[in-house]
Amino acid sequence: MPSIDIDKPRWDQSTYAGRAYHFLALTNPLNLLASSEELEKAKEIVDKVRKGSSISQLGIDEDQLWRSKYLYDSAYHPDTGEKMIVIGRMSAQVPMNMMITGCMMTFYKSTPAVVFWQWFNQSFNAVVNYTNRSGSSPIPTSTLGLSYFGATTGAVATALTLNRLALRAPPLVGRLVPLCAVAAANCVNIPMMRLTELRDGIELQNEQGQTVGRSKKAAKEAIATVTVSRILMASPSMILAPVLMNYLERRNLLAKYKWAGGPIQIALCGLCLTFATPLCCALFAQKVKVDVDHLEEDVQKELTSYKSVYYNKGL
């Protein structure tokens, strides 16, 4: 059999379907149920294949290899190889965000609750950003702290301000305030987390993966697409749940079961996020091809021997 390159995604990343399959496997919440023994076994298989062992020598088939690879990717840092903390893993995104999002939309009227859940959400985001930081060029602690402070302040200020403005508006408007706060936080958090790229430019690579330059323009485009996908990722659950709860309240269907509002919203968030998380991650290609003519003039002068280059937009 031809050798399998497990350092590339299993599916064709030039198509939306291929990217969607890739992220569905990567963010699968069931990966969290894997035992330490299963994770170690997956790591062992990946390490042996990278050292040259074939799947026939390991006594597994191609499907088993890819299951091991995605299980490995879900738990181990791609640069350092260290096991990541559970809540910081991509496979924890759906269960953690369904709980946080559901609570943000359930307790959106109380000022202390708004402050607490917006703070909790940004604290979780900080943990995820730290856990998935680059091993080759790690994010400075000062940048993480500045990003955390800016995103938390922006989210809380947006939520409290819009809550006041929504007092005279229909109930549905107030229920959509958490989405606006999350969007505002993403617009602050992501650019601040990637200040180095905005200042120095994002790495440009040739087809062989060798770094050939940097571009600030490409960095801006990468950060913009990541911000859009993050906001869209949160939108289905944070729009559908308020619309449903507003409908149930207008029909007085939860009069006898007011306690059920929270669980209903959390469950709906879980359902939406299970699909929205991978499908929105897949909206834009991870490895982006860009024409050199599209970049800054000084970068074009440095890359005269190339017609196009690539950059990793990030997640």
Side-chain angles (χ1 to χ4, degrees):
M1 287 185 63
S3 60
I4 301 171
D5 187 355
I6 60 172
D7 289 320
K8 293 182 179 179
R10 183 178 188 179
W11 295 276
D12 181 7
Q13 296 300 284
S14 66
T15 67
Y16 177 75
R19 297 194 296 271
Y21 281 124
H22 169 69
F23 284 109
L24 278 167
L26 193 63
T27 62
N28 186 356
L30 295 178
N31 289 335
L32 290 175
L33 302 178
S35 65
S36 296
E37 292 76 15
E38 289 174 311
L39 293 177
E40 288 299 326
K41 180 64 176 177
K43 185 177 186 299
E44 181 183 347
I45 290 173
V46 170
D47 288 341
K48 286 183 177 179
V49 170
R50 282 175 171 165
K51 291 177 180 178
S53 297
S54 65
I55 58 176
S56 59
Q57 290 173 324
L58 297 175
I60 60 175
D61 59 25
E62 187 175 349
D63 288 336
Q64 289 173 310
L65 171 61
W66 282 114
R67 279 198 295 271
S68 297
K69 177 59 168 58
Y70 277 100
L71 186 58
Y72 169 85
D73 286 345
S74 75
Y76 293 91
H77 193 282
D79 294 328
T80 66
E82 296 177 354
K83 187 182 291 186
M84 297 182 287
I85 58 175
V86 174
I87 64 171
R89 300 174 188 173
M90 287 299 292
S91 50
Q93 291 296 296
V94 171
M96 286 298 297
N97 278 318
M98 67 179 280
M99 184 271 290
I100 295 171
T101 304
C103 289
M104 279 196 296
M105 292 188 298
T106 300
F107 308 108
Y108 69 97
K109 292 182 179 180
S110 165
T111 297
V114 168
V115 173
F116 174 79
W117 284 109
Q118 291 295 340
W119 164 80
F120 192 93
N121 184 42
Q122 295 311 318
S123 298
F124 169 67
N125 288 338
V127 171
V128 173
N129 289 332
Y130 179 78
T131 304
N132 294 278
R133 68 196 184 282
S134 171
S136 56
S137 53
I139 302 169
T141 304
S142 58
T143 301
L144 283 168
L146 188 63
S147 171
Y148 172 65
F149 176 78
T152 303
T153 303
V156 171
T158 301
L160 295 180
T161 301
L162 292 180
N163 269 345
R164 285 190 176 184
L165 295 175
L167 289 176
R168 298 180 181 180
L172 180 59
V173 175
R175 289 184 178 276
L176 293 174
V177 166
L179 173 60
C180 298
V182 168
N186 277 323
C187 291
V188 173
N189 186 26
I190 297 171
M192 291 184 72
M193 283 295 299
R194 300 175 67 171
L195 276 175
T196 304
E197 292 177 12
L198 288 172
R199 184 186 64 227
D200 303 329
I202 197 171
E203 281 191 359
L204 301 174
Q205 300 177 339
N206 58 21
E207 290 187 358
Q208 290 72 42
Q210 299 169 326
T211 300
V212 294
R214 288 180 172 273
S215 168
K216 295 179 183 179
K217 186 175 183 181
K220 292 177 182 178
E221 293 180 357
I223 292 169
T225 56
V226 169
T227 302
V228 169
S229 65
R230 291 276 190 95
I231 293 173
L232 291 177
M233 197 183 298
S235 297
S237 57
M238 301 189 83
I239 292 175
L240 292 178
V243 169
L244 174 63
M245 295 308 298
N246 189 62
Y247 173 81
L248 294 176
E249 283 189 0
R250 289 175 60 187
R251 298 280 178 152
N252 207 30
L253 297 177
L254 295 179
K256 295 182 180 180
Y257 309 99
K258 292 184 178 180
W259 57 268
I264 290 174
Q265 291 191 91
I266 291 174
L268 184 57
C269 287
L271 179 63
C272 291
L273 286 167
T274 297
F275 298 99
T277 299
L279 295 182
C280 288
C281 281
L283 286 174
F284 306 98
Q286 186 76 23
K287 186 177 181 181
V288 182
K289 183 178 181 180
V290 57
D291 292 334
V292 172
D293 293 342
H294 179 69
L295 303 174
E296 305 94 307
E297 288 187 9
D298 57 328
V299 177
Q300 292 180 32
K301 292 177 182 178
E302 293 177 6
L303 303 177
T304 53
S305 58
Y306 297 96
K307 288 186 177 181
S308 59
V309 287
Y310 301 84
Y311 64 85
N312 186 336
K313 74 169 179 64
L315 290 174

Short mmCIF file of all heavy atoms in Angstrom, two decimals, residues 243-287:
data_model
loop_
_atom_site.label_atom_id
_atom_site.label_comp_id
_atom_site.label_asym_id
_atom_site.label_seq_id
_atom_site.Cartn_x
_atom_site.Cartn_y
_atom_site.Cartn_z
N VAL A 243 -35.32 32.70 20.28
CA VAL A 243 -36.57 32.69 19.51
C VAL A 243 -37.52 31.63 20.06
O VAL A 243 -38.73 31.89 20.26
CB VAL A 243 -36.28 32.43 18.01
CG1 VAL A 243 -37.58 32.16 17.25
CG2 VAL A 243 -35.56 33.62 17.39
N LEU A 244 -37.00 30.44 20.36
CA LEU A 244 -37.84 29.37 20.91
C LEU A 244 -38.38 29.75 22.28
O LEU A 244 -39.58 29.56 22.56
CB LEU A 244 -37.02 28.08 21.02
CG LEU A 244 -37.72 26.90 21.71
CD1 LEU A 244 -38.97 26.49 20.92
CD2 LEU A 244 -36.78 25.73 21.87
N MET A 245 -37.50 30.27 23.16
CA MET A 245 -37.95 30.62 24.51
C MET A 245 -38.96 31.76 24.48
O MET A 245 -39.91 31.77 25.26
CB MET A 245 -36.75 31.00 25.37
CG MET A 245 -35.76 29.86 25.62
SD MET A 245 -36.56 28.35 26.26
CE MET A 245 -37.23 28.96 27.82
N ASN A 246 -38.78 32.70 23.57
CA ASN A 246 -39.74 33.80 23.45
C ASN A 246 -41.10 33.27 23.00
O ASN A 246 -42.15 33.70 23.50
CB ASN A 246 -39.21 34.82 22.44
CG ASN A 246 -40.04 36.09 22.43
OD1 ASN A 246 -40.13 36.79 23.41
ND2 ASN A 246 -40.63 36.41 21.28
N TYR A 247 -41.08 32.30 22.08
CA TYR A 247 -42.32 31.67 21.61
C TYR A 247 -43.01 30.93 22.75
O TYR A 247 -44.24 31.06 22.95
CB TYR A 247 -42.01 30.71 20.47
CG TYR A 247 -43.19 29.87 20.03
CD1 TYR A 247 -44.15 30.39 19.15
CD2 TYR A 247 -43.35 28.56 20.49
CE1 TYR A 247 -45.24 29.62 18.76
CE2 TYR A 247 -44.43 27.79 20.10
CZ TYR A 247 -45.37 28.33 19.24
OH TYR A 247 -46.46 27.56 18.85
N LEU A 248 -42.25 30.16 23.52
CA LEU A 248 -42.83 29.39 24.63
C LEU A 248 -43.41 30.31 25.69
O LEU A 248 -44.47 30.00 26.28
CB LEU A 248 -41.76 28.48 25.26
CG LEU A 248 -41.22 27.35 24.37
CD1 LEU A 248 -40.12 26.60 25.08
CD2 LEU A 248 -42.35 26.40 23.97
N GLU A 249 -42.75 31.44 25.95
CA GLU A 249 -43.26 32.37 26.96
C GLU A 249 -44.52 33.07 26.48
O GLU A 249 -45.48 33.26 27.25
CB GLU A 249 -42.19 33.40 27.30
CG GLU A 249 -41.11 32.85 28.22
CD GLU A 249 -40.18 33.94 28.73
OE1 GLU A 249 -40.39 35.13 28.36
OE2 GLU A 249 -39.26 33.62 29.49
N ARG A 250 -44.56 33.45 25.21
CA ARG A 250 -45.75 34.12 24.68
C ARG A 250 -46.94 33.19 24.68
O ARG A 250 -48.08 33.63 24.89
CB ARG A 250 -45.46 34.61 23.24
CG ARG A 250 -44.50 35.79 23.19
CD ARG A 250 -44.17 36.15 21.76
NE ARG A 250 -45.36 36.51 20.99
CZ ARG A 250 -45.36 36.74 19.68
NH1 ARG A 250 -44.20 36.65 19.01
NH2 ARG A 250 -46.46 37.07 19.06
N ARG A 251 -46.71 31.91 24.48
CA ARG A 251 -47.79 30.92 24.51
C ARG A 251 -48.07 30.42 25.93
O ARG A 251 -48.98 29.60 26.13
CB ARG A 251 -47.42 29.72 23.63
CG ARG A 251 -47.24 30.07 22.16
CD ARG A 251 -48.55 30.19 21.45
NE ARG A 251 -48.40 30.56 20.06
CZ ARG A 251 -49.27 30.23 19.11
NH1 ARG A 251 -50.33 29.51 19.41
NH2 ARG A 251 -49.08 30.63 17.87
N ASN A 252 -47.26 30.90 26.88
CA ASN A 252 -47.43 30.52 28.28
C ASN A 252 -47.32 29.00 28.48
O ASN A 252 -47.99 28.41 29.32
CB ASN A 252 -48.80 31.00 28.80
CG ASN A 252 -48.78 31.24 30.30
OD1 ASN A 252 -47.74 31.59 30.85
ND2 ASN A 252 -49.92 31.05 30.94
N LEU A 253 -46.43 28.38 27.69
CA LEU A 253 -46.31 26.93 27.73
C LEU A 253 -45.43 26.44 28.88
O LEU A 253 -45.44 25.25 29.21
CB LEU A 253 -45.74 26.42 26.40
CG LEU A 253 -46.62 26.68 25.17
CD1 LEU A 253 -45.92 26.21 23.90
CD2 LEU A 253 -47.97 25.96 25.32
N LEU A 254 -44.66 27.35 29.48
CA LEU A 254 -43.79 26.95 30.58
C LEU A 254 -44.24 27.52 31.92
O LEU A 254 -43.46 27.57 32.87
CB LEU A 254 -42.35 27.40 30.30
CG LEU A 254 -41.65 26.75 29.10
CD1 LEU A 254 -40.24 27.33 28.95
CD2 LEU A 254 -41.58 25.24 29.27
N ALA A 255 -45.50 27.93 31.98
CA ALA A 255 -46.01 28.54 33.21
C ALA A 255 -45.86 27.61 34.41
O ALA A 255 -45.52 28.03 35.52
CB ALA A 255 -47.48 28.94 33.03
N LYS A 256 -46.13 26.32 34.21
CA LYS A 256 -46.04 25.36 35.31
C LYS A 256 -44.65 24.76 35.46
O LYS A 256 -44.36 24.09 36.46
CB LYS A 256 -47.06 24.23 35.09
CG LYS A 256 -48.51 24.68 35.13
CD LYS A 256 -49.44 23.49 34.95
CE LYS A 256 -50.90 23.92 35.00
NZ LYS A 256 -51.82 22.76 34.81
N TYR A 257 -43.81 24.98 34.45
CA TYR A 257 -42.47 24.37 34.47
C TYR A 257 -41.40 25.43 34.18
O TYR A 257 -40.62 25.29 33.25
CB TYR A 257 -42.39 23.25 33.44
CG TYR A 257 -43.51 22.24 33.54
CD1 TYR A 257 -44.61 22.32 32.68
CD2 TYR A 257 -43.48 21.24 34.49
CE1 TYR A 257 -45.64 21.40 32.77
CE2 TYR A 257 -44.51 20.31 34.59
CZ TYR A 257 -45.59 20.40 33.72
OH TYR A 257 -46.61 19.48 33.82
N LYS A 258 -41.39 26.49 34.97
CA LYS A 258 -40.43 27.57 34.74
C LYS A 258 -38.99 27.09 34.88
O LYS A 258 -38.08 27.64 34.26
CB LYS A 258 -40.70 28.72 35.71
CG LYS A 258 -42.02 29.44 35.43
CD LYS A 258 -42.21 30.63 36.36
CE LYS A 258 -43.51 31.37 36.03
NZ LYS A 258 -43.71 32.54 36.91
N TRP A 259 -38.78 26.06 35.68
CA TRP A 259 -37.44 25.52 35.88
C TRP A 259 -36.87 24.90 34.60
O TRP A 259 -35.65 24.72 34.47
CB TRP A 259 -37.46 24.44 36.97
CG TRP A 259 -38.42 23.31 36.65
CD1 TRP A 259 -39.72 23.21 37.02
CD2 TRP A 259 -38.14 22.14 35.86
NE1 TRP A 259 -40.29 22.06 36.53
CE2 TRP A 259 -39.34 21.39 35.81
CE3 TRP A 259 -37.02 21.67 35.20
CZ2 TRP A 259 -39.43 20.17 35.12
CZ3 TRP A 259 -37.10 20.46 34.51
CH2 TRP A 259 -38.30 19.72 34.47
N ALA A 260 -37.78 24.57 33.66
CA ALA A 260 -37.34 23.87 32.45
C ALA A 260 -36.66 24.79 31.43
O ALA A 260 -36.03 24.31 30.48
CB ALA A 260 -38.52 23.17 31.79
N GLY A 261 -36.77 26.11 31.62
CA GLY A 261 -36.20 27.04 30.65
C GLY A 261 -34.71 26.85 30.45
O GLY A 261 -34.22 26.78 29.31
N GLY A 262 -33.98 26.76 31.55
CA GLY A 262 -32.53 26.58 31.48
C GLY A 262 -32.12 25.30 30.77
O GLY A 262 -31.34 25.33 29.81
N PRO A 263 -32.63 24.14 31.22
CA PRO A 263 -32.27 22.88 30.56
C PRO A 263 -32.62 22.85 29.07
O PRO A 263 -31.87 22.29 28.26
CB PRO A 263 -33.08 21.83 31.33
CG PRO A 263 -33.25 22.42 32.70
CD PRO A 263 -33.38 23.89 32.47
N ILE A 264 -33.77 23.46 28.70
CA ILE A 264 -34.16 23.48 27.29
C ILE A 264 -33.15 24.27 26.47
O ILE A 264 -32.72 23.84 25.39
CB ILE A 264 -35.58 24.08 27.13
CG1 ILE A 264 -36.63 23.12 27.68
CG2 ILE A 264 -35.86 24.39 25.65
CD1 ILE A 264 -38.04 23.68 27.68
N GLN A 265 -32.74 25.42 26.99
CA GLN A 265 -31.78 26.26 26.26
C GLN A 265 -30.41 25.59 26.17
O GLN A 265 -29.75 25.64 25.12
CB GLN A 265 -31.65 27.62 26.94
CG GLN A 265 -32.92 28.46 26.81
CD GLN A 265 -32.71 29.90 27.24
OE1 GLN A 265 -32.37 30.76 26.43
NE2 GLN A 265 -32.93 30.16 28.50
N ILE A 266 -29.98 24.94 27.23
CA ILE A 266 -28.68 24.26 27.23
C ILE A 266 -28.70 23.11 26.22
O ILE A 266 -27.74 22.92 25.46
CB ILE A 266 -28.33 23.76 28.64
CG1 ILE A 266 -28.04 24.96 29.55
CG2 ILE A 266 -27.13 22.82 28.59
CD1 ILE A 266 -27.82 24.58 31.00
N ALA A 267 -29.80 22.35 26.21
CA ALA A 267 -29.91 21.22 25.28
C ALA A 267 -29.91 21.70 23.83
O ALA A 267 -29.25 21.12 22.96
CB ALA A 267 -31.18 20.42 25.57
N LEU A 268 -30.65 22.78 23.55
CA LEU A 268 -30.70 23.32 22.19
C LEU A 268 -29.33 23.86 21.78
O LEU A 268 -28.90 23.68 20.63
CB LEU A 268 -31.75 24.43 22.11
CG LEU A 268 -31.99 25.04 20.72
CD1 LEU A 268 -32.38 23.97 19.71
CD2 LEU A 268 -33.06 26.13 20.77
N CYS A 269 -28.64 24.50 22.72
CA CYS A 269 -27.29 25.00 22.43
C CYS A 269 -26.36 23.84 22.09
O CYS A 269 -25.55 23.93 21.16
CB CYS A 269 -26.73 25.76 23.63
SG CYS A 269 -27.48 27.38 23.88
N GLY A 270 -26.49 22.74 22.84
CA GLY A 270 -25.65 21.58 22.57
C GLY A 270 -25.89 21.02 21.18
O GLY A 270 -24.94 20.68 20.46
N LEU A 271 -27.15 20.94 20.80
CA LEU A 271 -27.50 20.42 19.48
C LEU A 271 -26.94 21.33 18.37
O LEU A 271 -26.34 20.84 17.40
CB LEU A 271 -29.02 20.32 19.35
CG LEU A 271 -29.56 19.82 18.00
CD1 LEU A 271 -29.10 18.39 17.74
CD2 LEU A 271 -31.10 19.90 17.97
N CYS A 272 -27.12 22.63 18.53
CA CYS A 272 -26.64 23.57 17.51
C CYS A 272 -25.11 23.56 17.42
O CYS A 272 -24.54 23.53 16.33
CB CYS A 272 -27.12 24.99 17.83
SG CYS A 272 -28.90 25.23 17.64
N LEU A 273 -24.45 23.60 18.58
CA LEU A 273 -22.99 23.70 18.60
C LEU A 273 -22.32 22.43 18.07
O LEU A 273 -21.21 22.49 17.52
CB LEU A 273 -22.51 23.98 20.03
CG LEU A 273 -22.76 25.41 20.53
CD1 LEU A 273 -22.54 25.50 22.03
CD2 LEU A 273 -21.85 26.39 19.79
N THR A 274 -22.97 21.29 18.24
CA THR A 274 -22.40 20.03 17.74
C THR A 274 -22.12 20.12 16.25
O THR A 274 -21.11 19.58 15.76
CB THR A 274 -23.35 18.86 18.02
OG1 THR A 274 -23.51 18.71 19.44
CG2 THR A 274 -22.82 17.56 17.45
N PHE A 275 -23.00 20.82 15.54
CA PHE A 275 -22.81 20.95 14.09
C PHE A 275 -22.21 22.31 13.70
O PHE A 275 -21.41 22.39 12.77
CB PHE A 275 -24.15 20.75 13.38
CG PHE A 275 -24.73 19.38 13.59
CD1 PHE A 275 -25.72 19.17 14.54
CD2 PHE A 275 -24.27 18.29 12.87
CE1 PHE A 275 -26.24 17.89 14.76
CE2 PHE A 275 -24.78 17.02 13.08
CZ PHE A 275 -25.77 16.82 14.03
N ALA A 276 -22.59 23.37 14.43
CA ALA A 276 -22.10 24.70 14.07
C ALA A 276 -20.60 24.82 14.26
O ALA A 276 -19.91 25.48 13.48
CB ALA A 276 -22.82 25.77 14.90
N THR A 277 -20.05 24.18 15.30
CA THR A 277 -18.62 24.30 15.58
C THR A 277 -17.78 23.79 14.42
O THR A 277 -16.95 24.53 13.86
CB THR A 277 -18.26 23.57 16.89
OG1 THR A 277 -18.98 24.16 17.97
CG2 THR A 277 -16.76 23.65 17.15
N PRO A 278 -17.95 22.52 13.98
CA PRO A 278 -17.13 22.06 12.85
C PRO A 278 -17.50 22.71 11.52
O PRO A 278 -16.62 22.99 10.70
CB PRO A 278 -17.40 20.55 12.82
CG PRO A 278 -18.73 20.37 13.48
CD PRO A 278 -18.79 21.44 14.53
N LEU A 279 -18.80 22.95 11.30
CA LEU A 279 -19.21 23.50 10.00
C LEU A 279 -18.74 24.94 9.81
O LEU A 279 -18.45 25.36 8.69
CB LEU A 279 -20.74 23.42 9.86
CG LEU A 279 -21.31 21.99 9.82
CD1 LEU A 279 -22.83 22.03 9.64
CD2 LEU A 279 -20.66 21.18 8.70
N CYS A 280 -18.66 25.70 10.90
CA CYS A 280 -18.17 27.08 10.78
C CYS A 280 -16.63 27.12 10.74
O CYS A 280 -16.06 28.00 10.11
CB CYS A 280 -18.69 27.93 11.93
SG CYS A 280 -20.46 28.29 11.78
N CYS A 281 -15.98 26.18 11.42
CA CYS A 281 -14.52 26.08 11.30
C CYS A 281 -14.14 25.78 9.85
O CYS A 281 -13.07 26.19 9.37
CB CYS A 281 -13.98 24.96 12.20
SG CYS A 281 -13.84 25.41 13.94
N ALA A 282 -15.02 25.07 9.15
CA ALA A 282 -14.74 24.64 7.78
C ALA A 282 -15.07 25.69 6.72
O ALA A 282 -14.80 25.48 5.54
CB ALA A 282 -15.52 23.36 7.48
N LEU A 283 -15.64 26.82 7.13
CA LEU A 283 -16.04 27.83 6.15
C LEU A 283 -14.85 28.33 5.33
O LEU A 283 -14.98 28.61 4.13
CB LEU A 283 -16.70 29.01 6.87
CG LEU A 283 -18.12 28.78 7.38
CD1 LEU A 283 -18.58 29.97 8.19
CD2 LEU A 283 -19.08 28.52 6.22
N PHE A 284 -13.71 28.48 5.99
CA PHE A 284 -12.51 28.98 5.31
C PHE A 284 -11.40 27.94 5.42
O PHE A 284 -11.24 27.31 6.46
CB PHE A 284 -12.05 30.30 5.94
CG PHE A 284 -13.13 31.35 5.99
CD1 PHE A 284 -13.86 31.57 7.15
CD2 PHE A 284 -13.43 32.11 4.86
CE1 PHE A 284 -14.85 32.54 7.21
CE2 PHE A 284 -14.43 33.08 4.90
CZ PHE A 284 -15.14 33.28 6.07
N ALA A 285 -10.64 27.79 4.35
CA ALA A 285 -9.55 26.81 4.35
C ALA A 285 -8.52 27.15 5.41
O ALA A 285 -8.23 28.34 5.65
CB ALA A 285 -8.89 26.77 2.97
N GLN A 286 -7.99 26.13 6.05
CA GLN A 286 -6.97 26.33 7.07
C GLN A 286 -5.66 26.82 6.44
O GLN A 286 -5.04 27.75 6.92
CB GLN A 286 -6.72 25.01 7.82
CG GLN A 286 -5.78 25.12 9.00
CD GLN A 286 -6.43 25.76 10.20
OE1 GLN A 286 -7.65 25.75 10.31
NE2 GLN A 286 -5.64 26.33 11.07
N LYS A 287 -5.27 26.17 5.36
CA LYS A 287 -4.07 26.58 4.63
C LYS A 287 -4.52 27.38 3.42
O LYS A 287 -5.12 26.85 2.49
CB LYS A 287 -3.26 25.35 4.20
CG LYS A 287 -1.92 25.68 3.56
CD LYS A 287 -1.15 24.41 3.23
CE LYS A 287 0.22 24.73 2.63
NZ LYS A 287 0.98 23.49 2.29
#
